[in-house]
């Protein structure tokens, strides 16, 4: 295939952040193009800024004027918008053109035609592409819709937000009203459409590429049926559901959809497919590079960003449809800063230790052996906050066959260590190894149905508790005035007690002896329970031993040695093993929550479940409240979370105000029992 494409621009501005900005910069570097990053004040040390050749600060990533101005000042000829932010903003595309900048994306008119789901469906339907049967405002009376189940969607929507599933006519009026409120708030446009809900639904999308000379090709499909709340989690190419004939037909339909709006550049046509009948229907077109584009790159050997630049420079596509070959199988997993064990609430924090599987695979490299590619926006020491999308990175595996690709991805996730921020890695690993996923028996409801099997336990294994206590014991002094290191006096070693708090409660663990040579560790798992010797496990009398070097710990308990990644942030110790992480905080006697077996809240202290912004304060100091009564609403990522009173009592502290930013676990209120 005639590739790589020519290098059309000397300087390109990347109007994005995180993993996608880093990924675009990678191609710019490979093509010898100078990369210009933009960043907000809080992102000054971010990975995309570090990796770019030049970087400029802007007020925020949606500030069109600032970005256009910076592009001019930096001498950039083109602007790549990535995905999200301004990628599907027709006004931005126009403003770039007016300033003499090439917008790396389709013409503004194509963005507009596809940005609105109602108009998009009408346009592609007229071009002969099958669409989901439905009704749309303003022409139709949505309250008269009678085919259930049905799905209400905001016409201007995206990212799975604001869609409502309706199963019976009686629920329709309320569902429409609620969807309209969400749509207006999230997208500034309350226009709705309603669609027949496709049974046994699979989300299968086609990657297309179009040049300005009438050339349009498709690059095969991606199966994106593994979703939660209509958001993709794991994607793969090819789809286990699609054969060569279906691929050709869906591919042609996607090409027709693109032609119908005069599309140029890379885009994705999303179809909802009935897994029982195989019938496929156009859902929408995303007029940008997608999060999951790497799986297509790995099976085609193409660099989509390089091709976007190539056609943006006005060149014809360097290959024909017949020259596109799909080789092997690729699977991607999205790593999110979220806690599946806490209803997937966003997390945050500082990245204390980072290990990503290596070596990273080159973009567009075609393999023969199983291999792994990492697209990441992470840097050790970086802070993950609540102002941006919680997707941190993507791990993508390629192998000659699907089973090997899934296994390779699972192993790569097990070889990923992110300490300091809780992520969904254990959840992704459970999902990848689930029998239905292994069998390729996917639909968009699968994840929700098997969710109980996938949620990681918060219980801290005994050997992890023992390891934490040994690690604290090994470095007893430090920042910690309340630590009484009574294990160090001359004579027979005495026990030192550690009270460690994790998400499953408070644990008492005690250690005596020297961790680097021979120590004993015991725990009292719950109040009243007998003490348990953790050092010897099965083999009686064998001492525990800890070896620390850099970011890793090796701990021998009962003759078995486990290896951990570790990091310490003041009184919190993070341990990581096989993609799982534990955070254990050493407690001062008298701290809130300092009670064996007490989980957070039992003490009346109300903490923020996520980093975010206090939206509403519904109580005041002195209020008498009942258990479960709403006290505040915290918001992050446009997601509201109501924080309630953990018990009956009086509100004695309420140290936050509406509009205030709060960290995860920040104290929001204290409810004191009136008996106390
Ligand atoms: P994909 O590219 O795979 O379709 P998503 O649908 O998750 O991935 O969208 C990619 C990014 O763009 C996400 O950060 C998402 O929040 C954001 N996004 C998508 N559509 C919109 C929209 N209409 N408005 C705001 N953000 C959007
Ligand atoms: P968004 O713009 O938020 O990405 P989409 O229209 O692409 O919205 O739909 C997102 C998801 O919702 C799809 O991936 C699919 O899981 C589900 N979905 C959308 N339309 C239908 C439908 N008609 N029947 C069944 N599921 C649907
Ligand atoms: Mg979509």
């Amino acid at each position: 295939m005639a590739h790589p494409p020519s290098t059309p621009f000397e300087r390109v501005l990347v109007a994005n952040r995180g993993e996608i900005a880093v990924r675009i910069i990678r191609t710019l570097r490979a093509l010898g193009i100078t990369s210009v990053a933009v960043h907000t004040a809080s992102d000054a040390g971010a990975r995309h800024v570090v990796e770019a050749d030049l970087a400029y600060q802007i007020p925020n990533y949606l500030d069109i004027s600032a970005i256009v101005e910076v592009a001019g000042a930096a001498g950039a000829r083109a602007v790549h918008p990535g995905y999200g932010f301004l990628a599907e903003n027709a006004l931005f595309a126009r403003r770039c053109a007016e300033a003499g900048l090439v917008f790396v994306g389709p013409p503004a008119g194509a963005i507009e035609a596809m940005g609105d789901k109602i108009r998009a469906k009408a346009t592609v339907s007229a071009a002969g592409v099958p669409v989901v049967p439905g009704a749309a405002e303003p022409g139709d009376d949505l309250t008269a819709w009678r085919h259930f189940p049905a799905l209400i969607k905001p016409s201007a929507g995206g990212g799975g937000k604001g869609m409502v599933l309706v199963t019976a006519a009686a629920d329709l009026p309320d569902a429409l009203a609620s969807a309209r409120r969400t749509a207006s708030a999230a997208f500034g446009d309350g226009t709705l459409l309603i669609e027949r809900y496709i049974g046994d639904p699979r989300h299968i999308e086609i990657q297309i590429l179009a040049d300005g000379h009438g050339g349009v090709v498709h690059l095969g499909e991606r199966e994106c049926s593994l979703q939660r709340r209509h958001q993709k989690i794991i994607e793969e190419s090819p789809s286990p559901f699609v054969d060569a004939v279906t691929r050709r037909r869906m591919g042609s339909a996607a090409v027709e959809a693109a032609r119908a709006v005069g599309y140029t550049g890379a885009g994705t046509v999303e179809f909802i497919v009935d897994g029982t009948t195989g019938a496929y229907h156009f859902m929408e077109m995303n007029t940008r590079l997608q999060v999951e584009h790497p799986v297509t790159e790995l099976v085609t050997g193409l660099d989509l960003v390089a091709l976007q630049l190539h056609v943006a420079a006005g060149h014809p596509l360097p290959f024909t449809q017949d020259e596109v070959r799909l080789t092997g199988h690729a699977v991607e997993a999205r790593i999110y800063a979220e806690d599946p064990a806490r209803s997937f609430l966003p997390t945050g924090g500082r990245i204390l230790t980072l290990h990503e599987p290596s070596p990273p695979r080159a973009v567009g490299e075609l393999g023969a052996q199983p291999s792994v590619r990492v697209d990441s926006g992470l840097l050790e020491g970086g802070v993950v906050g609540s102002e941006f999308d919680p997707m941190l990175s993507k791990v993508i595996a390629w192998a000659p066959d699907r089973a090997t690709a899934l296994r390779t991805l699972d192993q790569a996730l097990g070889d990923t260590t992110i300490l300091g921020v809780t992520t969904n890695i254990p959840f992704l690993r459970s999902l990848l190894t689930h029998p239905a996923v292994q069998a390729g028996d996917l639909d968009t409801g699968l994840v929700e149905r098997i969710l109980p099997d996938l949620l990681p336990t918060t219980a801290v294994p005994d050997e992890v508790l023992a390891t934490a206590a040994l690690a604290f014991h090994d470095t007893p002094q430090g920042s910690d005035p309340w630590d009484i290191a009574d294990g160090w006096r001359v004579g027979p070693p005495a026990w030192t007690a550690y009270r460690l708090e994790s998400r499953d409660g408070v644990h008492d663990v005690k250690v005596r002896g020297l961790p680097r040579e021979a120590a004993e560790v015991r725990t009292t798992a719950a109040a009243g329970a007998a003490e348990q010797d953790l050092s010897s496990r099965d083999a009686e009398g064998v001492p525990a031993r800890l070896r620390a070097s850099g970011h890793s710990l090796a701990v021998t308990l009962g003759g078995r040695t486990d290896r951990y990644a570790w990091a310490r942030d003041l009184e919190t110790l993070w341990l990581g093993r096989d993609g799982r992480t534990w955070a254990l905080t050493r407690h001062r006697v008298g701290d809130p929550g300092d009670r064996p077996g007490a989980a957070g809240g039992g003490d009346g202290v109300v903490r923020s479940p996520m980093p975010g912004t206090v939206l509403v304060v519904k109580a005041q100091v002195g209020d008498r409240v009942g258990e479960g009564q709403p006290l505040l609403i915290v918001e992050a990522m446009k997601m509201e979370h109501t924080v309630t009173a953990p018990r009956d009592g009086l509100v004695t502290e309420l140290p936050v105000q509406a509009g205030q930013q709060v960290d995860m676990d920040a104290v929001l209120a204290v409810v004191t029992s009136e008996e106390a």
Side-chain angles (χ1 to χ4, degrees), residues 246-257:
T246 311
R247 179 171 304 121
R248 207 171 309 125
R249 286 171 43 206
M250 289 179 72
S252 305
V255 166
E256 287 318 310

Side-chain angles (χ1 to χ4, degrees), residues 38-242:
V38 290
H39 64 88
T40 57
S42 64
D43 257 351
R47 171 121 172 232
H48 74 284
V49 177
V50 174
E51 299 212 0
D53 297 314
L54 300 167
Y56 290 79
Q57 188 168 319
I58 53 170
N60 71 70
Y61 294 101
L62 294 170
D63 191 329
I64 294 177
S65 300
I67 292 169
V68 170
E69 197 174 305
V70 163
R77 286 278 329 279
V79 175
H80 196 306
Y83 57 70
F85 294 125
L86 298 172
E88 293 173 283
N89 187 312
L91 176 65
F92 182 55
R94 283 213 177 84
R95 291 284 301 279
C96 285
E98 283 161 18
L101 295 161
V102 175
F103 173 79
V104 181
I111 298 177
E112 272 158 358
M114 290 299 190
D116 169 301
K117 288 190 208 294
I118 294 171
R119 192 169 146 202
K121 280 178 74 174
T123 307
V124 306
S125 178
V129 177
V131 300
V132 189
E137 292 171 334
D140 299 315
D141 174 13
L142 300 192
T143 56
W145 179 267
R146 285 297 170 264
H147 305 280
F148 296 98
L151 200 58
I152 304 173
K153 297 182 181 182
S155 186
K161 288 188 196 98
M163 293 196 302
V164 185
L165 179 66
V166 191
T167 48
D171 303 332
L172 189 57
D174 283 352
L176 284 168
S178 146
R180 196 175 313 281
R181 277 196 303 273
T182 316
S184 303
F187 307 109
D189 177 353
T191 311
L192 302 176
L193 68 156
I194 190 163
E195 282 182 356
R196 207 174 268 216
Y197 186 78
I198 301 299
D200 191 14
R202 297 181 83 122
H203 175 122
I204 300 176
E205 58 187 34
I206 303 280
Q207 175 71 53
I208 65 104
L209 202 53
D211 63 25
H213 306 267
V216 189
V217 298
H218 74 84
L219 305 178
E221 78 284 0
R222 294 185 287 257
E223 164 101 44
C224 311
S225 297
L226 291 173
Q227 305 183 340
R228 223 191 108 252
R229 299 193 170 172
H230 309 297
Q231 292 249 38
K232 302 157 185 171
I233 308 169
I234 288 174
E235 308 97 341
E236 59 185 298
S237 181
S239 161
F241 189 75
V242 171

Side-chain angles (χ1 to χ4, degrees), residues 203 270 284 286:
H203 175 122
E270 297 189 327
E284 66 164 344
N286 292 326

Side-chain angles (χ1 to χ4, degrees), residues 5 29 91 127 156 163 170 181 389 417 434 438 446-447 454 463 564 571 595 649 666 671:
R29 192 184 304 130
L91 176 65
M163 293 196 302
R181 277 196 303 273
D389 193 282
T417 306
H434 191 277
Q438 295 275 321
L446 176 67
V447 172
L454 304 177
E463 72 271 18
Y564 296 85
E571 295 316 309
R595 200 169 305 142
V671 178

Side-chain angles (χ1 to χ4, degrees), residues 321-343:
Q321 186 68 60
D322 290 342
E323 291 175 288
V324 176
R325 294 266 176 287
L326 307 184
T327 308
H329 203 96
V331 195
E332 171 184 283
R334 301 184 182 199
I335 297 182
Y336 281 99
E338 66 183 16
D339 189 351
R342 262 170 123 169
S343 331

